[in-house]
Amino acid sequence: MQKFSFWYLTLLLAALVVPACKDKTDDELTGFGDVEIEFDNRAGDAALVFGTEYTNAAGEKVKFSTFNYFVSNFVLVKEDGTEYVVPKDSCYFLCKHDDLESREVVLKNVPAGDYTGLKFMIGIDSAKSVSPITERSGVLDPAAGANGMYWSWNAGYIFVKVEGTSPQAPVDPGTGENTFQYHTGLFGGYDSPTLNNLKTVSLETHHGDEPAKVRRTGGPHFHLYVDVLEMFSNPTNISVASNPTSHAGAYSKTVADNYADMFVLDHVHNP
Amino acid sequence: MLKYSLPLLLLLLLAACRKDEPAAPFSGPFLPANFPAPAYDLALNPVTEDGFALGKKLFYERLLSRDTTIACADCHISYAAFSHPDHATSHGIDGLFGKRNAPAVQNMLWRTSFFWDGGVPNLDLVPLNAIQSPVEMDESPARVLEKLRAHPEYPAMFKKAFGSEEVNTARFLQALSQFMAMLVSANSPYDRFVRLEPGATLPAEALEGRDLFAQKCGTCHATDQFTDQTYRNNGILNDFTHDRGRNEVSTLPDDIGKFRVPSLRNLTATAPYMHNGKFKTLEAVLDHYAAGVKDSPTLDPLLRQPDGSLGIPLTADEKTKIIAFLKTLTDDDFLRDERFAE
């Protein structure tokens, strides 16, 4: 009798617990959650503040007044390598330093799961760059959201825009100020090949850290550092004295190669 | 006999009645039989009577410029095939001069790129350039839209054209495209001749000129658009520091000094010629090809002869005949079309 009730109890317990366990994992890993990505702009070790003086790799004193960039085509990667690609209709973001909200990107309805990688593009991919005008709303609207981030004479978006002043930069005859200006774009050309400055950023959670957990009840918060001074170094030091401006020319490749590594993952918060 | 004359009479009466009708019903752009299918996707922006009317008003609208002094139509004039006649380069706002000649705006539906350097891939995106250019209209497109929203007439016109009063970027640009889409020039004596229209002939001199043209010019000025839509250096300059042409958008060293091969339609209305308006007459253009070609690293290979000389061998007689042919490309119906004039 004793024996019987022991087995009976175990069975009963198992019947209760197993489905409960199963229910819980199902519950955790089904459905969708939102992922937040914070783009925290930095200048070297310090937080970036417009008008504050920093020193670039060439040893020049620089103050910033504009720091805007397009980020797009987000992909979340699980530990086993499977990827979730954010749909095209919600994968374009314009981050402006002076607009805090624009630097809090939210990826909505990401399938629940544990993610260890985050990939995105700096700039606007070539397909979108040549898309019909009716498919360019919000931050992609050249006369609204993308105002100042679009070249109308060499049709395409400015991927990264950095402007500021430096005593080492030459005087701009227009304003009488010592300014530098780096407007970088170029997606590879729509009919014949031109320079392609699109860069892909690939970030991974730090070894030993928890993965980024997307759950129905909430999602992770990726905290990214974006160091504007990285644009001035590695692999090539850029001097505001000798190359104070770069737009759609050949030198923009140097600028883009430099800023390709300005995004780093500082940490991930799980809910 | 009566059996036949009665319907005939009715037909005549009907024809007479039609005269009293206000105007022929609106039909979209003329798609001539001697042209291929348009490059512009008309399905994405079908041309309607109201869209065309809105686009036309915008094309003649000075509010598009910063200080309300300049309209598109000031540099693109209807009787000059929408080019800027007699202006080597065009003066825009504040009397500032741009560095390039304003080209004709005609047959834009068949173009795969725009501007002398091909910097813009789609007709819809062209006006953004003119509006923003500091030497043209010097205005931000965002402010243009605000001005149109506040205007007494535009919101209603947008509603007629697009179904609601909303004035947005896409609608604004598509309306301008609808106007420009209608600017089709394909009724020159040459066109009527190649379409074998009844009674269409060309003078013997022009016919000879046509053959010479095909041999000597037709590789670059190809098809009935008279351009292969590529970028080439035809030797009018050998120093491109002032304007590097295609290189300014492509950044490729090979593209320095290359400019888009232009169409040759309505030349008699569009002088001066070339991206910098260098030549005032067709004679000067032919003299250039015969004896004025300047050497530079990107000069088109077609302009290097096997004996090492530059240009295209042309006798005086051949030049005259080629010019006679070029003159058959003038389309008076288009130049005088009242639907397009202010």
Side-chain angles (χ1 to χ4, degrees):
Chain A
M1 182 67 204
Q2 274 255 316
K3 223 174 172 181
F4 172 78
S5 57
F6 171 74
W7 280 112
Y8 182 73
L9 226 112
T10 323
L11 255 164
L12 200 90
L13 253 165
L16 279 170
V17 170
V18 172
C21 275
K22 209 169 159 270
D23 250 353
K24 196 178 167 233
T25 35
D26 264 6
D27 198 49
E28 273 201 340
L29 293 177
T30 57
F32 303 88
D34 291 351
V35 169
E36 280 173 22
I37 306 169
E38 178 184 346
F39 291 86
D40 189 356
N41 291 340
R42 317 278 300 172
D45 294 337
L48 173 64
V49 179
F50 280 168
T52 298
E53 192 169 87
Y54 306 97
T55 307
N56 69 12
E60 298 160 329
K61 304 280 174 222
V62 288
K63 286 182 185 171
F64 296 94
S65 56
T66 306
F67 186 34
N68 299 341
Y69 42 86
F70 273 110
V71 281
S72 70
N73 292 285
F74 285 82
V75 176
L76 286 151
V77 191
K78 288 188 184 162
E79 206 151 27
D80 64 5
T82 53
E83 293 189 340
Y84 170 70
V85 181
V86 175
K88 281 279 171 195
D89 60 7
S90 49
C91 78
Y92 297 96
F93 301 92
L94 172 58
C95 298
K96 297 181 172 181
H97 182 71
D98 54 7
D99 176 0
L100 197 61
E101 221 173 285
S102 74
R103 293 191 280 120
E104 304 271 357
V105 164
V106 181
L107 308 177
K108 291 209 159 67
N109 297 318
V110 176
D114 292 348
Y115 295 92
T116 54
L118 174 68
K119 293 197 278 193
F120 57 89
M121 189 182 265
I122 314 175
I124 305 294
D125 57 275
S126 55
K128 198 68 186 182
S129 292
V130 300
S131 64
I133 188 67
T134 44
E135 290 167 23
R136 299 167 183 241
S137 52
V139 295
L140 296 175
D141 184 336
N147 202 1
M149 292 297 282
Y150 178 81
W151 281 319
S152 56
W153 54 276
N154 188 359
Y157 295 92
I158 297 174
F159 303 158
V160 177
K161 187 173 190 175
V162 176
E163 292 175 342
T165 56
S166 164
Q168 279 84 19
V171 177
D172 174 340
T175 59
E177 285 184 90
N178 304 69
T179 53
F180 58 84
Q181 249 191 10
Y182 303 97
H183 298 179
T184 310
L186 302 181
F187 56 87
Y190 60 89
D191 57 356
S192 61
T194 64
L195 202 54
N196 186 337
N197 284 325
L198 286 166
K199 299 287 176 194
T200 302
V201 178
S202 231
L203 305 173
E204 274 170 27
T205 51
H206 299 296
H207 186 72
D209 278 6
E210 256 193 335
K213 295 179 171 176
V214 180
R215 299 293 181 267
R216 198 148 60 185
T217 46
H221 177 104
F222 286 82
H223 193 123
L224 269 53
Y225 275 178
V226 191
D227 183 356
V228 67
L229 292 181
E230 281 293 335
M231 197 199 76
F232 293 89
S233 67
N234 187 23
T236 313
N237 277 9
I238 291 179
S239 150
V240 297
S242 35
N243 285 297
T245 56
S246 162
H247 294 134
Y251 195 73
S252 65
K253 183 182 185 310
T254 308
V255 182
D257 287 346
N258 276 1
Y259 70 52
D261 66 350
M262 73 178 169
F263 296 84
V264 297
L265 178 60
D266 186 62
H267 62 273
V268 178
H269 274 299
N270 277 311
Chain B
M1 188 64 217
L2 201 88
K3 218 166 107 192
Y4 293 104
S5 49
L6 201 71
L8 204 83
L9 204 85
L10 273 170
L11 219 89
L12 276 169
L13 269 168
L14 256 162
C17 281
R18 285 198 57 173
K19 266 197 174 166
D20 299 336
E21 274 176 32
F26 181 83
S27 58
F30 171 39
L31 304 179
N34 54 324
F35 285 18
Y40 184 85
D41 190 349
L42 283 165
L44 287 180
N45 184 23
V47 181
T48 63
E49 186 164 15
D50 293 321
F52 166 75
L54 171 59
K56 179 176 173 183
K57 190 170 163 69
L58 291 169
F59 196 85
Y60 285 92
E61 180 58 78
R62 297 209 158 85
L63 276 181
L64 265 51
S65 64
R66 172 174 43 78
D67 59 1
T68 319
T69 54
I70 304 266
C72 307
D74 287 321
C75 296
H76 299 289
I77 298 166
S78 66
Y79 60 77
F82 295 91
S83 71
H84 203 180
D86 304 325
H87 286 75
T89 62
S90 294
H91 51 91
I93 202 154
D94 302 332
L96 291 171
F97 277 84
K99 62 181 177 184
R100 292 183 188 159
N101 180 254
V105 178
Q106 57 185 353
N107 303 344
M108 291 290 121
L109 287 181
W110 287 272
R111 286 279 298 282
T112 51
S113 69
F114 300 84
F115 298 105
W116 284 103
D117 53 22
V120 175
N122 189 302
L123 183 60
D124 295 345
L125 301 172
V126 166
L128 295 171
N129 190 8
I131 293 168
Q132 278 178 325
S133 164
V135 293
E136 292 182 18
M137 302 169 119
D138 194 26
E139 179 60 299
S140 103
R143 270 197 303 273
V144 168
L145 298 187
E146 275 165 35
K147 288 193 242 178
L148 297 179
R149 285 178 192 124
H151 191 273
E153 291 160 59
Y154 279 109
M157 291 186 79
F158 273 77
K159 182 168 182 187
K160 275 177 96 178
F162 296 108
S164 78
E165 292 200 345
E166 186 184 343
V167 176
N168 63 32
T169 312
R171 288 175 171 189
F172 166 70
L173 296 174
Q174 288 190 319
L176 276 166
S177 287
Q178 288 191 35
F179 175 70
M180 292 189 278
M182 291 290 287
L183 307 179
V184 178
S185 175
N187 265 336
S188 67
Y190 165 81
D191 292 298
R192 296 178 195 270
F193 175 77
V194 295
R195 288 198 300 261
L196 307 173
E197 288 180 12
T201 53
L202 292 183
E205 195 185 30
L207 283 173
E208 281 179 53
R210 185 189 176 194
D211 292 340
L212 290 165
F213 179 86
Q215 278 168 38
K216 294 174 186 275
C217 323
T219 310
C220 303
H221 297 286
T223 77
D224 278 2
Q225 301 299 331
F226 299 94
T227 165
D228 64 353
Q229 304 212 42
T230 61
Y231 310 92
R232 297 172 185 258
N233 172 352
N234 72 343
I236 57 169
L237 297 167
N238 54 11
D239 175 2
F240 300 100
T241 41
H242 178 60
D243 188 346
R244 303 190 312 278
R246 179 68 178 159
N247 169 272
E248 298 200 351
V249 302
S250 79
T251 72
L252 305 177
D254 256 10
D255 284 341
I256 293 175
K258 291 187 184 172
F259 292 83
R260 206 201 46 249
V261 177
S263 166
L264 301 180
R265 289 178 169 277
N266 295 307
L267 283 174
T268 54
T270 62
Y273 307 112
M274 307 297 167
H275 77 268
N276 55 359
K278 185 175 181 184
F279 302 120
K280 290 197 174 65
T281 63
L282 291 174
E283 285 74 14
V285 170
L286 272 290
D287 290 346
H288 158 72
Y289 282 112
V293 168
K294 294 194 162 89
D295 201 0
S296 64
T298 59
L299 178 69
D300 200 279
L302 288 171
L303 300 176
R304 290 184 195 281
Q305 298 309 317
D307 65 2
S309 64
L310 301 180
I312 301 172
L314 288 164
T315 64
D317 181 54
E318 287 172 332
K319 290 184 202 171
T320 316
K321 285 172 176 158
I322 290 176
I323 292 173
F325 168 66
L326 293 175
K327 287 184 174 167
T328 69
L329 301 177
T330 294
D331 173 359
D332 287 320
D333 288 357
F334 175 64
L335 299 178
R336 292 203 215 102
D337 198 319
E338 282 178 3
R339 292 173 301 166
F340 308 144
E342 186 158 23

